């Protein structure tokens, strides 16, 4: 119960993975603010468990309003993201901009602003960002999404280095594999990823609880880990 009473923002905390993380942290007594961008129905299922806030992380005024609502901020977990699938209807250039905003710009700006707030409040907090297996290994046709997540890893490690040694603020990244929730759920159900289990590349698809466990490790107040990328992917990127 080391997180009891601590303020934690879970951006994207209403999503498929995020809602499991939000419930786990709230269950431990943390004061969780969970954000969503557009799916209010899904977000409202967390009313009573977390403080639910609408915010598009790519919009500066939304980030400022979110941070102002959080009081003494101990933790930030960013689980926002957009698979940025390409389509005939949207020019590739526009899809790339959309991916940049959702997968890199919004998350890293919120992380930097949260670190600044923790420094102001003299809180040795923890920041956890979310990448993807496509940012670790090379999966064909994934570059629109993967390259922005790879940039996020690099920027997160720079932020960790900027804060090491003085502030006590730790910055780490979780890199999920194929998780049976949220943006991968429909693809798993369609059989798109069956070859990975049939060929025994992975033993099973991941669960949101697998990701929540890694996030919880990084949020532990008394830990000594910063600037790390933890792949929780059953070995798919090996
Ligand atoms: N599921 C997987 O297999 C998998 C694998 C690797 C990495 N990931 C990563 O894990 C994280 C969680 O994904 P998920 O599977 O749980 O997907 P999800 O259910 O689609 O959740 C994504 C969340 O992010 C929010 N969001 C998206 N863009 C946003 C923006 N610009 N500003 C604010 N919120 C935004 C969504 O809000 P609304 O729905 O309200 O718009 C939703 O709450 C993402 O970063 C994803 O890239 C997932």
């Amino acid at each position: 119960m080391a997180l009891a009473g601590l303020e934690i923002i879970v951006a994207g905390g209403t999503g498929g993975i995020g809602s499991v993380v939000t419930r786990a942290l709230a269950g431990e007594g943390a004061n969780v603010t969970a954000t969503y961008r557009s799916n209010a129905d899904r977000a409202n299922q967390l009313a009573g468990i977390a403080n639910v806030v609408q915010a598009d992380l790519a919009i500066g005024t939304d980030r400022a309003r979110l941070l102002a609502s959080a009081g003494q901020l101990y933790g930030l977990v960013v689980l926002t993201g957009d698979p940025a699938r390409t389509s005939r209807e949207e020019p590739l250039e526009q899809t790339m901009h959309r991916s940049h905003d959702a997968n890199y710009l919004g998350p890293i700006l919120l992380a930097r602003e949260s670190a600044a707030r923790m420094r102001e409040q003299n809180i040795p907090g923890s920041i956890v960002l979310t990448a993807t297996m496509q940012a670790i290994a090379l999966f064909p046709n994934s570059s629109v999404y993967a390259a922005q997540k790879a940039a996020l890893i690099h920027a997160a490690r720079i932020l960790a280095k900027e804060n090491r040694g003085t502030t006590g603020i730790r910055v780490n990244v979780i890199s999920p594999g194929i998780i049976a929730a949220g943006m991968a759920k429909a693809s798993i159900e369609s059989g798109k990823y069956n070859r990975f289990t049939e060929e025994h590349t992975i033993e099973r698809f991941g669960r949101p609880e697998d990701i929540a466990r890694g996030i919880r490790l990084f949020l532990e107040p008394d830990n000594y880990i910063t600037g790390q990328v933890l792949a929780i992917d059953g070995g798919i990127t090996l």
Side-chain angles (χ1 to χ4, degrees):
M1 301 297 283
L3 301 181
L6 297 182
E7 297 281 342
I8 301 177
I9 292 176
V10 185
T14 64
I17 297 173
S19 57
V20 172
V21 173
T22 294
R23 286 176 196 278
L25 298 177
E28 223 187 301
N31 296 328
V32 180
T33 297
T35 79
Y36 70 102
R37 180 176 53 175
S38 53
N39 192 337
D41 287 345
R42 184 164 72 164
N44 285 334
Q45 290 169 16
L46 291 169
I49 294 166
N51 174 29
V52 177
V53 170
Q54 192 281 333
D56 185 332
L57 297 198
I59 299 175
T61 48
D62 280 18
R63 294 194 306 277
R65 178 170 46 80
L66 173 62
L67 281 173
S69 74
Q72 295 284 103
L73 185 65
Y74 166 73
L76 170 71
V77 180
V78 182
L79 281 153
T80 59
D82 182 334
R85 296 191 177 99
T86 52
S87 72
R88 282 206 197 94
E89 289 73 46
E90 186 179 54
L92 181 60
E93 187 175 343
Q94 202 175 321
T95 314
M96 283 194 164
H97 282 299
R98 185 159 55 84
S99 180
H100 176 74
D101 287 355
N103 294 314
Y104 175 74
L105 189 77
I108 199 62
L109 286 174
L110 183 62
R112 297 192 66 85
E113 290 156 4
S114 297
R117 191 178 169 92
M118 289 169 184
R119 282 196 300 272
E120 274 162 31
Q121 296 178 334
N122 206 17
I123 298 174
S126 174
I127 295 173
V128 186
L129 293 155
T130 310
T132 174
M133 64 182 190
Q134 287 102 327
I136 306 285
L138 306 179
F139 290 84
N141 305 317
S142 73
S143 64
V144 175
Y145 173 63
Q148 300 302 325
K149 291 283 200 177
L152 181 64
I153 290 176
H154 201 71
R157 298 188 70 229
I158 291 169
L159 185 60
K161 187 164 181 175
E162 288 167 355
N163 280 280
R164 72 174 179 185
T166 49
T167 67
I169 297 167
R170 291 151 287 122
V171 185
N172 292 288
V173 182
I174 299 281
S175 182
I178 306 170
I179 310 302
M183 60 178 70
K185 196 163 186 281
S187 296
I188 289 176
E189 286 167 2
S190 75
K192 180 178 171 188
Y193 296 123
N194 280 358
R195 71 181 189 283
F196 292 114
T197 50
E198 285 165 6
E199 293 167 5
H200 303 290
T201 309
I202 50 174
E203 176 204 356
R204 61 167 172 83
F205 297 119
R207 304 179 185 116
E209 290 77 7
D210 297 318
I211 305 303
R213 221 174 287 136
I215 290 171
R216 178 62 187 83
L217 168 71
F218 286 144
L219 286 175
E220 177 64 32
D222 182 27
N223 80 28
Y224 200 52
I225 309 171
T226 193
Q228 300 305 304
V229 183
L230 178 61
I232 303 181
D233 64 8
I236 200 167
T237 53
L238 293 176

